[in-house]
Amino acid sequence: MNTDELVRLRTLCEQATPGPWVVLPREDSDGCDGICASTGTIVETDSGCYPPKKVDAAFITAVRTALPILLDDIERLCDENTKLRAQLTKAEADVTAQDENAIKAQD
């Protein structure tokens, strides 16, 4: 996933209704009556003809909560990776310098 995609997903999260979201299940079928934010804001409702499946609604509500956390983890891991690569580059340069000094000392 590239930086542009991460920015796009972060923007979607920030613009969406704040979570967590909950499913408003329909007891008589595998559908649901909608998705609602925990604040009471209606996020999505049943169209009346083709209600969303409970499993799809459960996925959507779980992702609304999980995606910001996952994006934070990706950002943290990318930062950590950058720092570790810099440390590795420095360590490689130090080893090369030590090898060169050892060769010179043998001459």
Side-chain angles (χ1 to χ4, degrees):
M1 187 173 293
N2 63 35
T3 303
D4 290 342
E5 184 66 11
L6 292 171
V7 168
R8 186 183 77 77
L9 290 172
R10 176 76 68 187
T11 300
L12 285 172
C13 284
E14 291 169 355
Q15 293 175 348
T17 302
W21 293 356
V22 295
V23 177
L24 303 173
R26 183 178 280 174
E27 301 302 324
D28 60 345
S29 73
D30 69 346
C32 72
D33 286 328
I35 298 171
C36 187
S38 60
T39 60
T41 302
I42 296 172
V43 178
E44 194 277 342
T45 61
D46 176 0
S47 68
C49 296
Y50 302 103
K53 290 183 179 180
K54 287 179 193 173
V55 293
D56 293 339
F59 174 78
I60 292 167
T61 59
V63 169
R64 175 62 187 109
T65 300
L67 186 57
I69 296 166
L70 293 171
L71 291 171
D72 288 346
D73 283 349
I74 290 170
E75 185 177 318
R76 179 185 56 79
L77 291 170
C78 286
D79 290 346
E80 184 178 316
N81 187 36
T82 299
K83 291 174 186 172
L84 290 171
R85 286 182 181 273
Q87 290 174 358
L88 179 60
T89 299
K90 183 183 179 316
E92 288 171 337
D94 291 346
V95 168
T96 300
Q98 289 174 0
D99 287 349
E100 290 172 356
N101 289 338
I103 291 169
K104 287 179 186 176
Q106 291 176 353
D107 291 340

